[in-house]
Amino acid sequence: MRSCQESIDKIFELVNTMFEVSNEGYADREEPGFDLIYSVVRDSAYKIKKLVEAQQSPIYNNNRCLCCKMKKIEKGADLLGREQENF
């Protein structure tokens, strides 16, 4: 598995944990002031999930994640640099 996919999987695990914490927090809250904290955690989880899903979407990235695209760009720049050295 590519390292970028491993990172994305870890992010999804984090997002799921954030959802669990916010849901448990709402269910067990004893003070009304914590509603805001749990709302922020839940909203942040949704935003992170949306960003990662957009990153993985073939519409946005031509079936490549951003880090793989960057590696391809870096490799191309490296090859271009080597070609220039040969002239």
Side-chain angles (χ1 to χ4, degrees), residues 13-76:
E13 288 177 25
L14 174 64
V15 166
N16 288 331
T17 302
M18 291 171 73
F19 284 130
E20 289 173 10
V21 168
S22 65
N23 290 338
E24 290 172 8
Y26 270 118
D28 298 337
R29 69 184 182 276
E30 295 175 3
E31 296 183 29
F34 285 97
D35 289 352
L36 177 63
I37 294 170
Y38 298 126
S39 296
V40 169
V41 171
R42 181 178 288 146
D43 289 347
S44 298
Y46 277 117
K47 289 177 184 179
I48 293 167
K49 183 179 178 183
K50 183 178 176 181
L51 288 169
V52 174
E53 287 172 346
Q55 173 66 35
Q56 290 184 313
S57 171
I59 295 170
Y60 291 104
N61 62 22
N62 298 326
N63 294 325
R64 292 186 187 270
C65 65
L66 184 59
C67 64
C68 292
K69 283 184 172 182
M70 292 305 296
K71 288 176 186 174
K72 184 177 179 182
I73 290 170
E74 290 170 0
K75 183 179 178 182

Side-chain angles (χ1 to χ4, degrees), residues 5-19:
Q5 186 60 46
E6 290 173 0
S7 297
I8 289 170
D9 291 343
K10 287 179 185 178
I11 292 170
F12 277 124
E13 288 177 25
L14 174 64
V15 166
N16 288 331
T17 302
M18 291 171 73
F19 284 130

